[in-house]
C-alpha cells in the first residue's frame, strides 16, 4: 500500500512528520509522500523517521497556484533539493498567507470575537496557519460547537469570513519544482471546476507548460470521475498518481491513509509503475 499525498503539522495536518510515519507504518503503507501546503519544513523530519522504519519516502510539496474561481494545487514530488527558485516561491506564498490570515482575524474582530494572529499562532507553534487552525481555535473559544461548523458558518468559500489565498504563478512553480529535482503533478483536478470538454483543453495547456503527472485518484472525487481522469491522462501522455490527501482524523475524518476515491486502497502501481519511472528519467 502507498500514499502519494499526505500532510503534517508543518502545514495543516494533525500529526507531526514522525507521528505520521508511525501511523502509516501501522497501516501497512510502505511508500509515502509528504506534500504540505506551500512549505517544506516537515521533509527533513519525515525523511529521518522514514529511514528508521525502512519506508520509502518521497519528499514533496503542494503549491497553491493563482487561478480564479477554483482551487488549483500543484504537487512537486521527489524533490532532491530545495532550489533558490522554490525558496522564493514558498516565501512569497507564506507572505500572502500571512496577509490572508490577518484579514480573517479582522473579520473575527469586526464580528465581536476578539483575537490576534499571534494568539492563534501561539496555539500552533512552528506550524503554517491555515483555515483549519482558525476553525479549531474557534472551537476552543466556544465560538462554534465543532470545527466543521466554523467552515460551514464562517470560513468556507461563500461564507462571510472567507478570504482567497493568493497563489503562485504556474510557470514559476513548475520551474521551481524542476530546479529542485522534482516532478510537477496536477493535484485533484476536479477542484478546477471545469467541464469535461474544458478539462481536456486545460490538460493540454498544462502539459505544454511542463506538468507531467495527473493525480487522477483523490477522495474528493467519484470513482467514475477518477477513472475518466485516468483515461484522459493516458490519452494526453501524462503518468497518473493517487493519494489520500490525509490531514488527520480530527481535520478530515473521511480521509484515510492509503485510501483514495470510493475508499479504494491505493495500489502500489501508482508508485512503482508511474511515479518512479518518471523520477528515474530526470537528469540531475
Amino acid at each position: 500500500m502507498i500514499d502519494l499525498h499526505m500532510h503534517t503539522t508543518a502545514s495543516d495536518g494533525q500529526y507531526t512528520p514522525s507521528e505520521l510515519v508511525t501511523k502509516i507504518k501501522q497501516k501497512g503503507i510502505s511508500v509515502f509522500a509528504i506534500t504540505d501546503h506551500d512549505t517544506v519544513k516537515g521533509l527533513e523530519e519525515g525523511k529521518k523517521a522514514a529511514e528508521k522504519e525502512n519506508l520509502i519516502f518521497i519528499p514533496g510539496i503542494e503549491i497553491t497556484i493563482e487561478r480564479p474561481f477554483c482551487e488549483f494545487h500543484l504537487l512537486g514530488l521527489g524533490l532532491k533539493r530545495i532550489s533558490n527558485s522554490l525558496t522564493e516561491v514558498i516565501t512569497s506564498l507564506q507572505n500572502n498567507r500571512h496577509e490572508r490570515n490577518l484579514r480573517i482575524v479582522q473579520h473575527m474582530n469586526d464580528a465581536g470575537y476578539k483575537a490576534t494572529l499571534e494568539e492563534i499562532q501561539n496555539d500552533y507553534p512552528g506550524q503554517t496557519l491555515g483555515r483549519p487552525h482558525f476553525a479549531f481555535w474557534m472551537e476552543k473559544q466556544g465560538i462554534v460547537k465543532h470545527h466543521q461548523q466554523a467552515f460551514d458558518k464562517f470560513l468556507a468559500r461563500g461564507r462571510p469570513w472567507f478570504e482567497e489565498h493568493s497563489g503562485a504563478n504556474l510557470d514559476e512553480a513548475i520551474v521551481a519544482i524542476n530546479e529542485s529535482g522534482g516532478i510537477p503533478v496536477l493535484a485533484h483536478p476536479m477542484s478546477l471546476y471545469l467541464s469535461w470538454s474544458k478539462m481536456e483543453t486545460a490538460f493540454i495547456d498544462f502539459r505544454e507548460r511542463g506538468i507531467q503527472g495527473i493525480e487522477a485518484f483523490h477522495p474528493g472525487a467519484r470513482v467514475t470521475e477518477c477513472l475518466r481522469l485516468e483515461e484522459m491522462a493516458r490519452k494526453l501522455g501524462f503518468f497518473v498518481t493517487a493519494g489520500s490527501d490525509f490531514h488527520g482524523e480530527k481535520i478530515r475524518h473521511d480521509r484515510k491513509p492509503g485510501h483514495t476515491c470510493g475508499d479504494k486502497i491505493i495500489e502500489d502501481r501508482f508508485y512503482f509503475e508511474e511515479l518512479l519511472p518518471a523520477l528515474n528519467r530526470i537528469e540531475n
Side-chain angles (χ1 to χ4, degrees), residues 101-118:
N101 289 343
L102 287 174
R103 294 195 297 272
I104 294 175
V105 168
Q106 187 60 54
H107 285 308
M108 297 173 71
N109 289 332
D110 291 344
Y113 303 109
K114 298 304 178 184
T116 65
L117 193 58
E118 291 75 18

Side-chain angles (χ1 to χ4, degrees), residues 55-97:
L55 303 181
I56 297 175
F57 173 58
I58 303 156
I61 189 171
E62 185 172 12
I63 299 176
T64 305
I65 302 298
E66 186 69 30
R67 189 183 179 100
F69 312 118
C70 72
E71 187 177 274
F72 189 171
H73 290 171
L74 185 67
L75 297 172
L77 296 178
L79 304 178
K80 296 178 177 61
R81 56 193 165 271
I82 308 304
S83 64
N84 289 337
S85 55
L86 183 57
T87 298
E88 290 174 3
V89 166
I90 291 172
T91 299
S92 177
L93 287 168
Q94 293 292 346
N95 290 338
N96 291 340
R97 185 181 292 271

